Amino acid sequence: MNIPNLLTLGRIVFIPLLVVFFYLPFAWSLPVAAALFALASVTDWLDGYLARRWNQATPFGAFLDPVADKVMVAVALALLIERFDSLWLTLPALVIIGREIVISALREWMAEMGKRSSVAVSWLGKIKTTLQMVALLLLIAFAPGSPLALIGMLTLHAAALLTLWSMILYLRAAWPHLSRAM
C-alpha cells in the first residue's frame, strides 16, 4: 500500500459521503458535497502524478484508479439526473456513462489481446475528464436554473461531445483488431 493507492481508496470512500451530503436537508450540504467531489477530482489527478513521479505505480492502482473514477462520475451523474429532472442533463449523462462502459470493455478486451496501448488514454480524454469534472462540480454546487448551473450544463454538453469524439477515436484505433476477431 502506498500514498497513490491510499488516495484512490480515499476517492472510493468519498462516494457514499457525496451521496449522504447531497441528500441532507441543510443549506450547507450541497456545498459540502461539491467540496467532496472537488477533493476527489483533485485526488484523481494527484494519485496518478505521484505514482509516476515516485515510481509507485502498481497493478492494484492501475486497476482501482479507473474504477474509482468511473463509479464517482456515474454516481454524481445519477444524483444530478434526479435533481435536475431534465432531458438536457439526462442525455449527456447517459452518453458519458455509456461511453465509459464501452471503452472500459474495449480496453479490457484489447488488454487480453496484448494491445492495450492501442486504446491508451489520450490528451482528448484528459480534456474531456477536466470538462466533465468542472461541469459536475458546478451542477452539484449550484441550484438548477442558476447561472453557474447553466454554465455547468453547457460544460457537461461539451464534455459529452468530447466523450463521443474520443470514443470514435478509440474504436477506430481498435477496429483493425476488432474486425480480425469477427
Side-chain angles (χ1 to χ4, degrees):
M1 194 54 58
N2 58 36
I3 291 174
N5 287 345
L6 288 172
L7 289 171
T8 301
L9 288 170
R11 197 159 57 254
I12 291 171
V13 169
F14 283 174
I15 294 167
L17 293 174
L18 170 68
V19 173
V20 167
F21 282 104
F22 188 86
Y23 283 113
L24 284 177
F26 303 113
W28 51 264
S29 65
L30 287 175
V32 170
L36 282 170
F37 186 84
L39 186 57
S41 296
V42 169
T43 67
D44 178 24
W45 170 81
L46 185 60
D47 65 9
Y49 172 79
L50 291 177
R52 287 184 299 277
R53 174 94 176 175
W54 295 343
N55 196 27
Q56 291 185 344
T58 65
F60 177 72
F63 157 74
L64 194 60
D65 180 65
V67 170
D69 300 342
K70 286 164 185 38
V71 172
M72 181 180 70
V73 167
V75 167
L77 286 167
L79 293 170
L80 292 168
I81 286 170
E82 178 192 16
R83 179 178 184 206
F84 280 75
D85 190 26
S86 163
L87 180 65
W88 297 108
L89 189 130
T90 302
L91 282 178
L94 294 177
V95 164
I96 290 168
I97 292 169
R99 181 262 192 200
E100 293 303 336
I101 293 167
V102 169
I103 297 305
S104 292
L106 179 66
R107 285 189 175 131
E108 183 178 331
W109 187 73
M110 294 295 284
E112 286 179 20
M113 295 178 51
K115 305 286 184 187
R116 181 156 170 84
S117 63
S118 299
V119 287
V121 175
S122 69
W123 62 270
L124 184 60
K126 293 182 186 298
I127 293 169
K128 182 261 321 172
T129 298
T130 301
L131 286 176
Q132 185 175 276
M133 296 308 187
V134 168
L136 293 174
L137 175 63
L138 291 172
L139 292 167
I140 292 168
F142 298 100
S146 72
L148 287 171
L150 178 59
I151 291 170
M153 187 77 75
L154 293 172
T155 306
L156 187 67
H157 280 260
L161 288 173
L162 289 178
T163 290
L164 288 173
W165 183 17
S166 68
M167 183 175 73
I168 290 167
L169 294 176
Y170 287 134
L171 289 171
R172 278 183 39 198
W175 185 251
H177 307 290
L178 289 170
S179 61
R180 278 194 296 263
M182 287 196 226

